[in-house]
Amino acid sequence: MTQPTVLIIDDEPDILELLELTLGRMSLQTRSASTLREAMTLLQSQHFDLCLTDMRLPDGDGMSIVRHIQQHFTSTPVAMITAYGSLDTAINALKAGAFDFLTKPVDLTRLRELVSTALRLNTAQADADPRDRDPILGISPPIERLRNQISKLARSQAPLYISGESGSGKELVARRIHALSPRAEQAFVPVNCGAIPSELMESEFFGHRKGSFSGAVADKPGLFQAANHGTLFLDEVADLPMAMQVKLLRAIQEKAIRAVGSQREEAVDVRLLCATHKDLANEVAQGRFRQDLFYRINVIELQVPPLRARREDLPLLVQSILGRLAERANQPVPEVTEAGMERLLNYRFPGNVRELENALERAFTLCEGQQIDAHDLWLSACPSASQDDAPDFSQIDHLEDYLDNIERQAITQALEETRWNKTAAAKRLGLTFRSLRYRLKKLGLDD
């Protein structure tokens, strides 16, 4: 079997020697260049499985190498070596397509981890599930774009911010990125940041030592330790309290965490993926989310399209969801009538795929025979994409409750479509901000 070959680009002889010796002990072949020109010549003459490049070179900079490899040698991961504390440079390199970065002085343990991960990259994507097992279903242009972006971003170690409305499938996207990454054999650890009590958050994230607080009867590893060498997915990251945001920022920057009650830091190697349905930039502007943390987790943003932007995927999604439900219940898969499918296609789905799953599960349970018709789908008239769908007044027991429900759904839809920006939602609804605030309080939506 051919030994992997690594291209090392640095004009400091001591750094070159250190990297060559370390990689040689890992049974890797190396070629070295001290200038941009030499590196370009070597890249044209042979294939490399990995490139390590310094940022500053006598005749240029490492960013030129990153861009050149991204354009001409897409299967070769490239890692940037930067001066200690040059986080801006490292982040720019990640945005340009670098696989990862190292800081000087080079930590040899971190170097070996980076190299091992990078060399697993092509193998991981070659062994990944084929298209027919891709959990992200759809043939629409937005989904094809998302699928292509996922494939590219799985090759990076850059922190990734996944944005999208509630129920659109952000965790599914995060899991797919992990499955296509060189970390696929390691743990994927999903965390709902809004579900952890603030007083337990530090212990949950970083672990604790026995006796560090009342009830700590044994050492307990945290979520970062559980995700070590794998992927940590922080869902609803905007819900983190400010004190925890500070600790998370330090963990990301130092690639190390300190357990509650411990006197020393512990190195962790984690790919961080974050998501929220809120507008993080607006949260920063409102002072509820730290700008420096936003800058670190939003190195690359990946937008998940809402279901209403990919209506042509509905038949495929419906078939898949009903298939799962039928298999679970050990029953035949019901057929959706033409009227039922039309009802689905004309609905806006403010709750996205999650709402579709809930609607189909209700219909599957309550429908008679092996057909799901329009009347089996309990979908609100308010968020419909079609003006032809009139409400069924025979189902109204109390007019005030019915109108409140319509108003609640309209306001919730406007808030979700504006990423919970109340000013923008009020404008979309043709209300003043004060009027919207009054309605939110009246309907119990002002939490």
Side-chain angles (χ1 to χ4, degrees):
M1 184 175 177
T2 307
Q3 286 181 308
T5 305
V6 181
L7 174 60
I8 306 171
I9 311 167
D10 203 303
D11 63 335
E12 295 183 47
D14 291 347
I15 296 289
L16 274 178
E17 184 178 3
L18 175 66
L19 296 178
E20 287 172 343
L21 283 172
T22 304
L23 298 190
R25 288 172 183 152
M26 295 176 69
S27 300
L28 303 175
Q29 294 183 1
T30 61
R31 296 292 303 274
S32 301
S34 57
T35 66
L36 184 64
R37 185 175 180 179
E38 287 177 22
M40 293 295 189
T41 302
L42 286 171
L43 283 166
Q44 294 297 331
S45 64
Q46 72 175 97
H47 168 76
F48 290 97
D49 299 283
L50 171 65
C51 174
L52 302 173
T53 180
D54 191 17
M55 179 59 195
R56 298 182 181 277
L57 298 168
D59 55 345
D61 60 53
M63 206 68 80
S64 300
I65 295 287
V66 173
R67 285 191 286 264
H68 182 75
I69 288 178
Q70 276 291 296
Q71 186 174 357
H72 301 287
F73 309 101
T74 54
S75 65
T76 302
V78 53
M80 180 74 74
I81 303 172
T82 68
Y84 179 78
S86 301
L87 287 175
D88 287 352
T89 300
I91 288 171
N92 288 335
L94 292 172
K95 287 182 176 179
F99 167 77
D100 207 344
F101 69 92
L102 290 166
T103 56
K104 294 180 180 180
V106 175
D107 181 309
L108 295 185
T109 300
R110 168 88 180 108
L111 169 65
R112 285 189 284 266
E113 287 176 348
L114 183 152
V115 171
S116 297
T117 303
L119 294 177
R120 289 198 302 270
L121 189 57
N122 289 328
T123 302
Q125 294 208 328
D127 294 344
D129 292 345
R131 171 61 62 89
D132 62 351
R133 294 179 61 193
D134 185 347
I136 299 174
L137 301 177
I139 55 172
S140 63
I143 284 297
E144 288 295 347
R145 283 194 297 272
L146 178 67
R147 194 175 278 119
N148 290 335
Q149 289 172 318
I150 287 171
S151 181
K152 291 178 182 177
L153 294 173
R155 297 181 60 83
S156 171
Q157 298 301 290
L160 183 63
Y161 169 48
I162 304 171
S163 62
E165 298 177 6
S166 293
S168 58
K170 297 186 290 294
E171 182 173 337
L172 190 66
V173 168
R175 288 183 181 277
R176 185 60 177 166
I177 290 169
H178 173 76
L180 292 174
S181 78
R183 298 174 180 266
E185 298 300 316
Q186 305 299 323
F188 174 87
V189 180
V191 185
N192 186 333
C193 297
I196 303 175
S198 56
E199 64 272 16
L200 298 178
M201 200 161 274
E202 185 175 1
S203 171
E204 286 294 312
F205 272 80
F206 307 132
H208 63 251
R209 295 288 175 261
K210 179 180 178 181
S212 56
F213 55 85
S214 178
V217 296
D219 287 357
K220 178 191 172 185
L223 296 164
F224 268 85
Q225 292 98 322
N228 198 24
H229 304 300
T231 303
L232 181 62
F233 173 56
L234 302 183
D235 198 7
E236 301 304 346
V237 70
D239 291 342
L240 287 174
M242 197 63 72
M244 192 61 207
Q245 292 179 29
V246 176
K247 293 180 171 66
L248 178 60
L249 176 65
R250 176 171 175 79
I252 295 170
Q253 290 183 164
E254 302 299 326
K255 297 184 184 293
I257 53 98
R258 179 179 295 170
V260 177
S262 176
Q263 299 302 311
R264 63 182 184 84
E265 287 194 331
E266 174 186 351
V268 287
D269 171 28
V270 166
R271 171 88 187 271
L272 189 67
L273 308 180
C274 297
T276 181
H277 72 276
K278 296 181 181 178
D279 183 343
L280 263 192
N282 183 59
E283 293 296 298
V284 171
Q286 298 297 322
R288 293 188 290 264
F289 200 84
R290 290 182 62 96
Q291 186 172 23
D292 46 6
L293 178 58
F294 173 67
Y295 184 53
R296 289 311 313 277
I297 67 174
N298 191 29
V299 172
I300 301 171
E301 180 176 356
L302 179 61
Q303 292 185 328
V304 182
L307 185 52
R308 63 183 171 277
R310 40 181 292 226
R311 294 185 187 280
E312 54 264 65
D313 294 333
L314 264 168
L316 188 60
L317 289 168
V318 168
Q319 183 183 23
S320 174
I321 293 167
L322 289 177
R324 289 202 307 270
L325 292 170
E327 183 179 5
R328 191 187 309 160
N330 195 25
Q331 294 181 16
V333 180
E335 177 190 358
V336 179
T337 66
E338 187 175 337
M341 186 58 71
E342 184 179 355
R343 183 77 180 92
L344 291 170
L345 289 168
N346 286 333
Y347 186 68
R348 287 185 61 82
F349 284 103
N352 292 291
V353 179
R354 187 182 297 132
E355 185 180 5
L356 173 64
E357 290 174 338
N358 292 339
L360 290 175
E361 186 166 7
R362 281 196 304 270
F364 179 83
T365 304
L366 299 174
C367 72
E368 296 181 7
Q370 290 302 306
Q371 283 194 330
I372 293 177
D373 206 349
H375 66 267
D376 296 313
L377 297 161
W378 293 6
L379 301 173
S380 164
C382 173
S384 174
S386 168
Q387 299 304 313
D388 298 329
D389 288 320
D392 183 1
F393 290 105
S394 66
Q395 302 298 316
I396 298 173
D397 294 321
H398 193 283
L399 183 59
E400 283 295 331
D401 290 345
Y402 177 81
L403 294 175
D404 280 351
N405 189 43
I406 293 290
E407 188 175 11
R408 183 180 290 108
Q409 290 169 346
I411 290 173
T412 301
Q413 178 189 331
L415 286 168
E416 288 181 337
E417 290 183 0
T418 58
R419 296 185 177 184
W420 295 85
N421 183 322
K422 292 178 183 177
T423 302
K427 186 176 180 181
R428 178 166 295 193
L429 292 165
L431 301 173
T432 64
F433 181 82
R434 178 178 291 183
S435 179
L436 175 62
R437 191 167 56 185
Y438 165 77
R439 284 173 164 80
L440 288 171
K441 187 173 184 180
K442 182 187 76 167
L443 298 168
L445 297 172
D446 58 342
D447 291 339

